[in-house]
Amino acid sequence: MIRPLAALPVVIYIWKVIVYDKVLGLGTTDTITGDVGTWAGVIITTYFGGRTIEKVARIFRRAAPDSDRG
Protein backbone atom coordinates (compact mmCIF):
# COMPACT_ATOMS: atom_id res chain seq x y z
CA MET A 1 0.00 0.00 0.00
CA ILE A 2 2.98 2.32 0.54
CA ARG A 3 4.04 2.31 -3.12
CA PRO A 4 0.70 3.51 -4.50
CA LEU A 5 0.39 6.18 -1.81
CA ALA A 6 3.92 7.44 -2.40
CA ALA A 7 3.44 7.47 -6.17
CA LEU A 8 -0.04 9.04 -6.19
CA PRO A 9 1.06 12.72 -6.14
CA VAL A 10 3.52 12.07 -8.97
CA VAL A 11 0.89 10.21 -11.00
CA ILE A 12 -1.60 13.06 -10.49
CA TYR A 13 1.02 15.59 -11.62
CA ILE A 14 1.92 13.58 -14.73
CA TRP A 15 -1.74 13.11 -15.70
CA LYS A 16 -2.42 16.82 -15.15
CA VAL A 17 0.51 17.82 -17.36
CA ILE A 18 -0.31 15.34 -20.12
CA VAL A 19 -4.12 15.41 -20.19
CA TYR A 20 -5.12 18.84 -18.91
CA ASP A 21 -2.19 20.92 -20.17
CA LYS A 22 -1.10 19.19 -23.38
CA VAL A 23 -4.05 17.19 -24.71
CA LEU A 24 -6.86 19.56 -23.74
CA GLY A 25 -4.70 22.73 -23.85
CA LEU A 26 -6.41 24.12 -20.76
CA GLY A 27 -3.49 25.16 -18.61
CA THR A 28 0.18 25.27 -17.84
CA THR A 29 2.00 23.60 -15.01
CA ASP A 30 5.39 24.58 -13.62
CA THR A 31 8.09 21.95 -13.75
CA ILE A 32 9.05 20.14 -10.58
CA THR A 33 12.50 21.36 -9.59
CA GLY A 34 15.03 20.87 -6.83
CA ASP A 35 14.79 18.09 -4.28
CA VAL A 36 11.11 17.47 -5.00
CA GLY A 37 11.93 16.85 -8.67
CA THR A 38 14.65 14.41 -7.67
CA TRP A 39 12.26 12.64 -5.29
CA ALA A 40 9.61 12.40 -8.01
CA GLY A 41 12.13 10.76 -10.34
CA VAL A 42 13.22 8.34 -7.64
CA ILE A 43 9.61 7.44 -6.81
CA ILE A 44 8.75 6.67 -10.44
CA THR A 45 11.99 4.73 -11.00
CA THR A 46 11.53 2.73 -7.81
CA TYR A 47 7.86 2.05 -8.52
CA PHE A 48 8.38 0.67 -12.00
CA GLY A 49 11.96 -0.60 -11.70
CA GLY A 50 11.47 -2.15 -8.27
CA ARG A 51 8.52 -4.21 -9.40
CA THR A 52 10.46 -5.41 -12.43
CA ILE A 53 13.39 -6.48 -10.25
CA GLU A 54 11.01 -8.34 -7.94
CA LYS A 55 9.51 -10.25 -10.87
CA VAL A 56 12.93 -11.15 -12.30
CA ALA A 57 14.13 -12.32 -8.87
CA ARG A 58 11.03 -14.50 -8.53
CA ILE A 59 11.74 -16.11 -11.91
CA PHE A 60 15.35 -16.86 -10.94
CA ARG A 61 14.26 -18.19 -7.56
CA ARG A 62 11.91 -20.67 -9.25
CA ALA A 63 14.55 -21.70 -11.81
CA ALA A 64 17.33 -22.23 -9.26
CA PRO A 65 17.93 -25.82 -8.12
CA ASP A 66 16.82 -26.55 -4.60
CA SER A 67 19.98 -26.55 -2.49
CA ASP A 68 18.20 -28.19 0.46
CA ARG A 69 17.90 -31.49 -1.42
CA GLY A 70 21.09 -33.32 -0.66
Side-chain angles (χ1 to χ4, degrees):
M1 192 66 187
I2 285 293
R3 279 187 193 164
L5 290 177
L8 185 61
V10 178
V11 170
I12 291 170
Y13 175 83
I14 291 170
W15 273 91
K16 198 265 185 201
V17 168
I18 293 171
V19 175
Y20 191 78
D21 295 352
K22 296 298 179 186
V23 174
L24 300 175
L26 297 174
T28 59
T29 302
D30 294 337
T31 58
I32 300 176
T33 59
D35 287 341
V36 176
T38 303
W39 298 337
V42 169
I43 288 170
I44 292 298
T45 302
T46 302
Y47 192 81
F48 289 104
R51 186 68 182 138
T52 301
I53 291 170
E54 288 173 3
K55 287 181 178 182
V56 170
R58 189 172 296 136
I59 290 168
F60 281 117
R61 201 174 354 186
R62 276 190 240 150
D66 192 2
S67 61
D68 291 338
R69 295 180 189 173

